[in-house]
Amino acid sequence: DAKTTQPNSMESNEEEPVHLPCNHSTISGTDYIHWYRQLPSQGPEYVIHGLTSNVNNRMASLAIAEDRKSSTLILHRATLRDAAVYYCILRGWGKLQFGAGTQVVVTP
Amino acid sequence: GAGVSQSPRYKVAKRGQDVALRCDPISGHVSLFWYQQALGQGPEFLTYFQNEAQLDKSGLPSDRFFAERPEGSVSTLKIQRTQQEDSAVYLCASSSTVSSPSTDTQYFGPGTRLTVL
């Protein structure tokens, strides 16, 4: 199964944008790129997903490179509530395969 | 509406005891997943149900782990003769559709934290 690579941690100031990179050089043509996040002591929650085109929703934006070998999750204005572990996942059929994710720290 | 619920939230077992963890998915959800999350790591897949059928159990670490969903709604993960390495958070997730990479969103419960002494 295709794997993803993410930085271990990132820091941001409150109300500033956060750009979370994800490398997935072995992505297949049918893999969707999904992002989930996990707040402390909670189960993961869905953030956004896409295939080839950039995607926006109320939580975030997803920018996908033209060759699909990398993507970036963008939180436009980080709040303290956005402090969590963010997982980039290549989604085939069935299970989600989580990596270690990126720990986002938001400073007031 | 109500989300995915899991019980108990915390479970302490002595090594060798059997435990049963319960998952109540969102009503009407077809797909149900179990994941295991060790401290400081991402969740790892254990097993997948579509309605009452267990379609994938490739992630179950040993034959001590058993999962069922007899009526296609509530699911139970059972661990027999617990070992210390079984200590982890056990997460349940459900989705409204047959699992699909393009449309499927998995909704997770809060997890059950199992500690084996």
Side-chain angles (χ1 to χ4, degrees):
Chain A
D1 293 320
K3 301 297 184 186
T4 62
T5 303
Q6 298 178 252
N8 290 333
S9 64
M10 293 191 71
E11 291 190 22
S12 175
N13 294 321
E14 196 175 12
E15 298 192 3
E16 291 187 354
V18 182
H19 291 241
L20 301 177
C22 181
N23 289 320
H24 30 78
S25 58
T26 60
I27 190 171
S28 74
T30 56
D31 284 336
Y32 279 71
I33 302 159
H34 284 237
W35 285 81
Y36 280 72
R37 72 179 185 180
Q38 188 170 22
L39 278 65
S41 300
Q42 296 187 25
E45 65 174 347
Y46 168 81
V47 177
I48 200 167
H49 77 277
L51 182 63
T52 56
S53 303
N54 294 344
V55 184
N56 300 292
N57 66 20
R58 65 176 180 81
M59 291 181 69
S61 296
L62 177 60
I64 302 173
E66 192 169 341
D67 63 5
R68 301 210 326 125
K69 294 184 183 298
S70 65
S71 60
T72 302
L73 179 71
I74 303 163
L75 308 177
H76 295 286
R77 290 183 66 207
T79 69
L80 296 179
R81 194 193 174 280
D82 292 321
V85 178
Y86 287 76
Y87 298 98
C88 170
I89 299 166
L90 297 185
R91 187 74 202 282
W93 289 91
K95 61 194 176 189
L96 293 173
Q97 291 189 287
F98 293 83
T102 297
Q103 174 71 62
V104 171
V105 177
V106 181
T107 306
Chain B
V4 178
S5 61
Q6 294 186 245
S7 60
R9 290 293 313 278
Y10 302 92
K11 177 69 178 178
V12 178
K14 292 183 179 179
R15 189 175 58 179
Q17 284 185 331
D18 298 349
V19 298
L21 311 180
R22 177 187 170 105
C23 172
D24 285 81
I26 294 172
S27 178
H29 275 198
V30 169
S31 295
L32 186 146
F33 300 80
W34 284 97
Y35 295 85
Q36 179 191 58
Q37 185 170 25
L39 188 64
Q41 299 183 22
E44 292 195 2
F45 170 79
L46 293 176
T47 188
Y48 162 54
F49 290 86
Q50 182 180 316
N51 296 308
E52 68 278 5
Q54 189 175 19
L55 298 186
D56 187 352
K57 53 182 181 179
S58 63
L60 296 176
S62 76
D63 58 7
R64 296 186 296 104
F65 287 70
F66 172 76
E68 60 183 4
R69 193 185 185 199
E71 297 180 355
S73 56
V74 171
S75 177
T76 304
L77 176 67
K78 298 179 179 178
I79 308 173
Q80 297 177 324
R81 305 181 303 281
T82 53
Q83 304 295 316
Q84 285 190 322
E85 61 263 29
D86 300 335
S87 296
V89 175
Y90 290 85
L91 295 161
C92 174
S94 70
S95 67
S96 60
T97 63
V98 173
S99 184
S100 161
S102 60
T103 61
D104 178 25
T105 295
Q106 293 188 19
Y107 296 88
F108 284 80
T112 294
R113 181 176 296 277
L114 173 65
T115 302
V116 181
L117 302 177

